[in-house]
Structures are given as C-alpha cells and as structure tokens.
Amino acid sequence: MQPIRGWGNYFVSAGEPLEKREFTIDSVATDEVVVEVAGCGLCHTDLGFISGAVQTKHPLPLVLGHEISGKVVATGAQFSALQGKNVIIPAVLPCGECELCQAGRDNICQQQLMPGNDFHGGFASHIKVPAKFLCELPDDLAGFELAQLSVIADAITTPYQSLLRSGLKKDDLAIVIGTGGVGLYMVQHAKNAGATVIALELEQSKLDTALSQGADYGICTRDLDGREIKKQIKELVKTHRLPKTQWKVFENSGSSAGQELAFSLLSFAGTVGIVGFTMDKVNVRLSNIMAFDADVFGNWGCRPAYYPPVLADVLSKKINLLDNIELYPLSEMNAVLELAKAHKLTKRAILTPNR
Amino acid sequence: MQPIRGWGNYFVSAGEPLEKREFTIDSVATDEVVVEVAGCGLCHTDLGFISGAVQTKHPLPLVLGHEISGKVVATGAQFSALQGKNVIIPAVLPCGECELCQAGRDNICQQQLMPGNDFHGGFASHIKVPAKFLCELPDDLAGFELAQLSVIADAITTPYQSLLRSGLKKDDLAIVIGTGGVGLYMVQHAKNAGATVIALELEQSKLDTALSQGADYGICTRDLDGREIKKQIKELVKTHRLPKTQWKVFENSGSSAGQELAFSLLSFAGTVGIVGFTMDKVNVRLSNIMAFDADVFGNWGCRPAYYPPVLADVLSKKINLLDNIELYPLSEMNAVLELAKAHKLTKRAILTPNR
C-alpha cells in the first residue's frame, strides 16, 4: 500500500493537554482496513482516561476515541470490497471465534478490541482497524454528514441492546433513570418500541430534553427521596392506567443513588437494567428479586450485529440525533475537553479532523 | 352434595402444638372440588408460620400445608369430570385472568391463593380447593404411592421453574449453592438438562447426598472463605475443561452468605438465580452485573403449567424422589414438628392422614 500520513491528538500523560502528533501508516494486515476519520464522539470514558481515573489497556501515548465514522481508504487482502465505503466502527470489536462470540454474546468477548483503549483510536485523521465487524453505511446518508453518524457507535447502540435484553414491548411501562448521553437514547428506543416512558432525572434541563424527545412523563428527582419518587410514579400509573406490574426500569446514571432507586422500583415480574457503571456498592435485599419473580440484567456495550437496525432508525429519523450533537474541529480538542470538564457541553461533542 | 366429615391439625397459636379438630364440608362452589388428602409435605414455610416468624394471610386457627396430593371426592358443577381423579394441588393457585396471568407469569398472580396460608391447607383428611389449576395424575402411578407425590408441589417444581428461567442447556456449568430440600432437586434438574453440576454446601452429609443424586463435583464450604471457594471452582473448571463463562449459579440457601457467594460467582454472560429467601440485605457492587453483561433473576414458586413435565420426570425416575422423603402419620404431626425444630429430619416429611 501507499504510505498514509496522518495526525492525531495523543494522550501522553494524565491531566495534561493532548499532543498533536503526526504518524505514518505504511502497512495493513489482511484482515484490517485504514479508515479516514470523518468524526469521533467524545465519551465520558475518554474523560475518565484523560483524568487518570481509568487506565487504558494500551500503554501511553495513545490516541483515544471509540465513536468513529469514516471512509475506508486502504484495505487488507480479505476486505478489498470495503475500499471507498463509508463505515461506522463499533466501539468494541469482538474476535468472532470464542465461546462467548459463538453464543451471540460477542459484545463481551474477552479478546475484544476497543479503539482508543486497546489500540490507537478516532481522535485522528486516520485509524487502522480490524475490518470484520465494521458497519457499512448505504451510499445515501439521508442528508446526514458522515461525521454526525459517529455517535451511533456506543451512545445510541448501547441502550438499544439494553432494550432488546429487557424484552420491552408495546404498551409496557419503561422507567428511564438518568437521561444524559445514553439515557436520552434509551428514552427514544423505548418510545419507538411502543412503551409509555417515564423519565427520572436530577437536572430539569435534561429532563426537558427527554420530554421533548419521547418521554411521556418526567419527574425531576433532585429534591425528592426514593419514597416520594415511587409515590409519584404510582400516581402516574393510576391516573393514566399504566401497567401496575412488569415495569422495565433502565438505570443509566451510573450512581449508587440511581441504582438504589432502580432496585426500589422492582415490580412483580419486573425488570431492572443496569446500564450505567459505578464502583460504589449498594446495600440491597437481593431476595426482593425472588419475591417479585423479577429480573436484573446488566448491559455492556452492544453487539455489532445490532448496529444496522440502529443505523436505520437514525437515517429514517425515528431516532433524533441532530438535536443532541455538536461538531468541533479536532484541532481544537483541548478546548473542548476544558468545556467538558466544566460541564459546559450540553450536547455530545463530535471531533472532526477536516475542519 | 353429601356432607363430608373430616379432621385436621389446626394451627391455633404461635409456638403451641397443633390441635386436632373435626370439620364438615357441606357445600362446594361450581369452580371448586373437595380432595381427600393422601399426603402433605412439611415445608420450611410451615415452620415459619408455626414459630410465629411469618404470619398467615388467613386468620388463625388455620390448617397449614401446601404440598398436597389426593383424590377428588366431590366436585362443583364446572369440574365434575375430575370426580375420582388423583391430583396434585399446586402450591400457589393463580386467578388465571389478571395481567400477570395473561403474560404467563401466573406464579406471582396477585390474586393467587395458597393452601395453608390463604385458606385451610393439607394437614387434614380433606381440603376444598379451586379446581382450575389442579395437576391431574395418570391412572398408573408407576409404582408410587399417591402420598409420595405430594412434594412435587413446591420442592420439586420451584427449582424446575428456576431451571427454565436460567436458560440452562446441555454442557453448561451449573453451580448450585445449598443442596437442602429445594437445592437437591435443583441439582437433579440441572443434571437432567445435560449440565455439569458443581454443588456448594455447608454440610458434608447434604453434599454427599447431592453427589449421589447428580452433582458432578462438590465443595463443602463450611470452613472456606469466598475467595477460596472461587479458586476451587476455577481449578475444577481448568482441570475438567468446563465452560469459563456463562455460569448458571442457583442460590437456594436463603442466606446472606449464600447470596454474597452467588453474586461473587457472576461470570461473563453469566446468570445468577435467587431461589432462596432471606430478609437480610447484602452489600454488593450492582455494576458488576453490567461489567459482566450478566443476568440475575429471582424465582417465586412455579407456574401450574410446569407441573406435568416435572411429574413425568418423577414417574419415569429421572428425578429421584424416594430417597428424599419419609412418610409419617398426620396424627403424630406434633412429634414430627419437634424433630424438624431439632433439625433431626434428614428427609422431606410427608404427613399422611390414613395411617
């Protein structure tokens, strides 16, 4: 192949600004391709790496970023058919061979590779990736810019897998705790599935967004204790004749308070999905799961196989993407990180190398 | 109908011996039948009522007992076809109409009736019950006495529903915590499903029984901490090339220690079933369920629809019942209760009114 000269923002040391560096890609394995990055979403996981709270698997310096869209510009021998195609790179790339992959649980394949964690990621002009599980885009992007579609990897797909795991169906009651970057799409997926959606959120502004994008009812939980929240939900159920049992509760806040709230909302034959992560433990009566004949599932990422239906929902505008993203030049990423740290980003930031 | 004169052991006051009293059944509703009791299993739930730890829903005095087999001797108009039939009475009788029943979750129907809790139970010569969900027995009991089959209600069916909920299949690894009255049948169901079974049990004698009835490997956990138990399981997995992921863990001990152990055995794409009950809370990192993409389900009772396959397994000897039960005359029930309190019953006691 022709050597490709690129550049990226390298994470060199925790707490320090990223460093712009150039690189050359001069080879590609038979099962790999090189993608010219159109856009890469900035995720909380990246902020965790940059602050030093979480360690990357690949030693530093490393290019971060795992919500990536772009165009294939060089291919290994096995994947020459992808040349010139627009793709989304799934946030986790499974091996496809192990017992978990064979069981359809490839989202937690133990040989999985994550861009911007196991190898150089998407905050760059180019990225070299294993090609097997790339999500190929149609020629017609329905008016979207390719960069805008990057956040389908992770922020929109992860709650979609949660939806499937929960078995949510038409006329069910979905209760979504935390309607930030992931929870907001949980609301949308649940609404698309035909459920009635109650959003629980600490911040009124995020709750308003959730209400404008599919939540039927919202409760701002900032000044309420768990008992009062449950009481208000029961009133909504009574007033609007919603299902009294089999509630599907999705906890996206990744906080112990959110998890305790979710657990307290176990209902008969109900389901609680743990979608957000926290290191904190919680003190709960696990036997309640038995007394309610209930289910608690945890959701890690999303199988690449589920990307196409999510992509279709975005392209057909069943999922509102454009109101929730904002594009920034990759060259100004350090300034964007400062905004993120100061909690001044209200929309998902997508870094684009071509502006 | 002809009046039926019967007798039963009435629970009158917590901590006191049961009182033998006579009664007359002189009417039966159109959707009810009267069953002449052949046998009624003594369950820990009964001991909880008798000690005063748990309250019955029906006011005292009440005849306890919810693991009942017998013969239909009088019928309401809708169920005349049951006259003379041998039946097992499911431990919980759902309404069949509500949203949970319609969703196939009738085992936790909120209008459900439990013999010996909501109405007079099986420690009697006769019982009047709703007929809709009775499990009819074949004419040929394959050499079993009718009384022996009583414990199919509850002790054998509850772990069967847990098996179905877990999705356990051939060549999976099942880890059964607590191999007492319920857990021992969990071992047998898991083995019948083709899994490799590791039994974890505090008492060596119970562990030996589990090993003789289907467990492939056993660990006596009395003097081991959680870390050591996990280490020994991993050694078994390595030595015998068992699955490294997707473990199905069934917690039957109903203790916080057992639940903490079960939670610590979450594996990638793994499943933990909470089958035993305790009021105690446990301190756990719920996020582990997310990090493992795992499932935790709770199991309450068993749907009447699952009784026939369990019955078939018992009659065909795929389930070993005879080694785990002992019959006692109902007239000597107070003495049996003393044995139970002193932990001197090593087998499930079945009380029979006809001896």
Side-chain angles (χ1 to χ4, degrees), chain A residues 162-177 186-187 190 193 195-200 233 243-252 262 265-275 293-297, chain B residues 103 105 165:
Chain A
S162 299
L163 176 89
L164 296 184
R165 289 281 297 279
S166 75
L168 187 81
K169 59 187 192 314
K170 191 168 177 303
D171 297 330
D172 279 353
L173 175 59
I175 300 175
V176 180
I177 301 173
M186 193 72 248
V187 167
T196 302
V197 181
I198 299 177
L200 309 181
I233 292 172
K244 292 187 192 75
T245 62
Q246 302 172 77
W247 297 351
K248 311 283 190 189
V249 181
F250 300 92
E251 156 36 45
N252 309 284
L265 295 175
L266 276 173
S267 61
F268 290 103
T271 302
V272 167
I274 306 291
V275 188
D293 203 62
D295 288 277
V296 179
F297 72 88
Chain B
R105 303 296 288 268
R165 289 282 297 279

Side-chain angles (χ1 to χ4, degrees), chain B residues 80-304:
Chain B
S80 54
L82 283 176
Q83 181 69 33
K85 298 286 187 187
N86 290 330
V87 295
I88 293 168
I89 303 174
V92 287
L93 297 159
C95 77
E97 309 292 338
C98 67
E99 70 181 18
L100 286 167
C101 284
Q102 294 299 315
R105 303 296 288 268
D106 46 347
N107 57 301
I108 45 157
C109 165
Q110 293 305 289
Q111 284 79 48
Q112 69 182 210
L113 297 174
M114 178 178 171
N117 187 7
D118 291 291
F119 63 97
H120 292 299
F123 296 130
S125 65
H126 297 79
I127 177 176
K128 184 161 73 170
V129 290
K132 188 169 181 181
F133 291 103
L134 296 183
C135 174
E136 194 177 324
L137 298 175
D139 293 333
D140 179 0
L141 295 183
F144 285 93
E145 292 178 45
L146 180 55
Q148 292 169 331
L149 299 175
S150 61
V151 295
I152 288 176
D154 205 7
I156 310 184
T157 49
T158 294
Y160 184 77
Q161 175 169 292
S162 299
L163 177 90
L164 297 185
R165 289 282 297 279
S166 76
L168 187 82
K169 59 186 193 313
K170 191 169 177 302
D171 297 331
D172 280 352
L173 175 59
I175 301 174
V176 179
I177 302 174
T179 58
V182 169
L184 182 58
Y185 293 110
M186 193 72 248
V187 167
Q188 295 196 41
H189 289 308
K191 192 64 191 169
N192 286 341
T196 301
V197 180
I198 299 177
L200 309 181
E201 168 58 53
L202 280 170
E203 293 184 35
Q204 187 64 49
S205 62
K206 289 185 183 175
L207 187 61
D208 291 340
T209 303
L211 286 164
S212 73
Q213 294 189 20
D216 296 280
Y217 310 102
I219 299 173
C220 183
T221 56
R222 177 165 295 285
D223 299 318
L224 305 179
D225 66 10
R227 187 169 306 199
E228 178 61 25
I229 296 168
K230 197 165 181 176
K231 192 180 147 207
Q232 292 194 17
I233 292 172
K234 285 190 170 175
E235 281 167 9
L236 286 171
V237 165
K238 195 174 174 187
T239 306
H240 302 285
R241 297 190 179 187
L242 305 176
K244 293 188 190 74
T245 63
Q246 303 172 77
W247 298 350
K248 311 283 189 188
V249 181
F250 300 92
E251 158 32 48
N252 309 285
S253 76
S255 68
S256 55
Q259 292 185 347
E260 281 168 4
L261 176 59
F263 202 84
S264 78
L265 295 175
L266 275 173
S267 62
F268 289 103
T271 301
V272 167
I274 307 291
V275 189
F277 183 85
T278 170
M279 286 296 285
D280 295 340
K281 293 185 173 186
V282 295
N283 198 37
V284 291
R285 186 182 294 123
L286 275 188
S287 300
N288 286 2
I289 308 175
M290 178 256 192
F292 284 116
D293 204 62
D295 288 277
V296 179
F297 72 88
N299 187 86
W300 178 266
C302 181
R303 302 183 61 199

Side-chain angles (χ1 to χ4, degrees), chain A residues 15 40 110 115 133 141 166 183 203 232 267 273 279 283 333 341:
Chain A
C40 181
Q110 293 305 289
F133 291 103
L141 296 183
S166 75
E203 293 185 32
Q232 292 194 16
S267 61
M279 287 295 285
N283 198 36
M333 183 169 174
K341 279 186 231 167

